[in-house]
């Protein structure tokens, strides 16, 4: 009787959001996890076309594949054809799938800059569900340019390139969202050395991801 209720309830909730129902085996696995007296936080293997996450407080988050195309670890082309980086400032925002991405140069004192650099991009999965994410990072300025280097789409960061704002958060989230980062391969050793040696060769940049209001439901 209990399993029949859960199948009915899940079907109603998922179908109302335009999502496919779990298989019978996935329903059994789902119930085993959520009924456990010792909840283990993590991703649930319910579907391949969208993500389901169980939080340690018992809440379950179901992510819409348009805004969070989990797709079993696929990293490239998850959002289809997308715009390249167009520059800094609100007027140069780009859209990747339902996400609007803006990169802005921030002019602040060093103490405030350090605080912003270490502010977490996401506090938890509930924060992700709001569809409003921002993080700060240092972007190098080449010696011959007055502007910081252009950013690129990244399918997750590497350990050396990961901004402090993304350290310690779930790597699957990082590799699925359409994040922007620095393309270190375009910078020769001399430029990188200069960036570390001279204070003014770094610029603080804020990257903001906002879900389009027409696709706000995750």
């Amino acid at each position: 009787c209990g399993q029949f209720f859960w199948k009915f309830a899940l079907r109603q909730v998922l179908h109302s959001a335009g999502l496919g129902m779990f298989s019978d085996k996935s329903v059994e696995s789902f119930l085993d996890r959520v009924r456990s007296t010792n909840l283990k936080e993590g991703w649930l293997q319910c579907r391949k076309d969208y993500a389901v996450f169980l939080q340690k407080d018992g809440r379950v988050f179901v992510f819409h594949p348009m805004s969070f195309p989990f797709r079993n670890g696929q990293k490239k082309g998850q959002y289809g054809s997308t715009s390249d980086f167009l520059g800094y400032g609100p007027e140069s925002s780009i859209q990747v799938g339902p996400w609007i991405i803006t990169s802005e140069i921030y002019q602040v004192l060093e103490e405030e800059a350090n605080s912003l650099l270490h502010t977490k991009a996401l506090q938890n999965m509930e924060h992700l569900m709001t569809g409003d994410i921002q993080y700060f990072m240092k972007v190098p300025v080449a010696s011959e340019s007055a502007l910081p280097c252009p950013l690129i789409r990244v399918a997750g960061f590497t350990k050396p390139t990961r901004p402090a704002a993304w350290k310690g958060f779930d790597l699957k989230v990082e590799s699925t969202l359409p994040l922007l980062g620095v393309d270190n391969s375009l910078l020769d050793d001399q430029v990188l050395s200069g960036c570390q040696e001279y204070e003014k060769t770094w610029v603080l940049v804020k990257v903001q991801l906002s879900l389009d209001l027409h696709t706000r439901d995750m």
Side-chain angles (χ1 to χ4, degrees):
C1 183
Q3 187 163 329
F4 174 80
F5 166 79
W6 277 103
K7 284 184 179 180
F8 177 80
L10 286 168
R11 184 177 294 108
Q12 291 294 107
V13 171
L14 295 171
H15 286 181
S16 68
L19 299 174
M21 175 56 181
F22 302 164
S23 67
D24 288 348
K25 185 176 180 181
S26 294
V27 171
E28 290 179 16
S29 176
F30 172 82
L31 293 178
D32 286 342
R33 288 288 297 273
V34 299
R35 287 171 170 172
S36 173
T37 55
N38 184 23
L39 283 179
K40 183 179 179 182
E41 182 171 282
W43 299 99
L44 304 183
Q45 302 297 318
C46 297
R47 296 276 303 195
K48 289 185 178 181
D49 52 343
Y50 61 81
V52 181
F53 187 86
L54 172 63
Q55 197 162 267
K56 58 186 176 183
D57 61 5
R59 285 182 292 175
V60 176
F61 298 96
V62 178
F63 296 89
H64 199 285
M66 285 184 62
S67 54
F68 195 76
F70 202 58
R71 293 192 185 175
N72 202 24
Q74 179 182 340
K75 292 185 178 181
K76 296 183 178 178
Q78 295 184 107
Y79 293 91
S81 58
T82 59
S83 301
D84 292 327
F85 180 73
L86 298 178
Y88 295 95
E91 69 282 355
S92 300
S93 297
I94 62 173
Q95 185 150 1
V96 179
W99 294 97
I100 297 172
I101 309 175
T102 305
S103 306
E104 298 183 71
I105 300 170
Y106 254 53
Q107 301 289 348
V108 295
L109 296 177
E110 183 177 354
E111 184 176 350
E112 184 179 354
N114 287 332
S115 176
L116 291 172
L117 285 168
H118 288 86
T119 301
K120 295 299 182 183
L122 291 168
Q123 300 300 322
N124 47 40
M125 288 294 174
E126 188 173 2
H127 183 180
L128 174 58
M129 297 291 282
T130 67
D132 189 14
I133 305 164
Q134 67 178 34
Y135 59 98
F136 292 83
M137 60 183 179
K138 287 182 175 180
V139 179
V141 179
S143 57
E144 71 278 1
S145 173
L147 292 174
C149 297
L151 302 179
I152 60 167
R153 282 274 314 284
V154 294
F157 299 102
T158 61
K159 189 173 181 179
T161 65
R162 182 170 291 109
W166 283 101
K167 290 181 178 178
F169 202 74
D170 193 287
L171 293 179
K172 290 185 179 180
V173 172
E174 179 188 301
S175 63
T176 301
L177 290 173
L179 304 181
L180 295 180
V182 177
D183 185 3
N184 286 331
S185 67
L186 297 179
L187 303 174
D188 58 35
D189 292 339
Q190 184 176 357
V191 173
L192 284 174
S193 175
C195 290
Q196 295 169 358
E197 185 176 353
Y198 300 106
E199 182 182 354
K200 291 188 178 179
T201 54
W202 287 107
V203 172
L204 182 69
V205 169
K206 180 183 82 168
V207 178
Q208 182 160 10
L209 287 75
S210 301
L211 271 180
D212 188 293
L213 291 176
H214 296 96
T215 53
R216 194 76 181 177
D217 294 331
M218 293 189 72

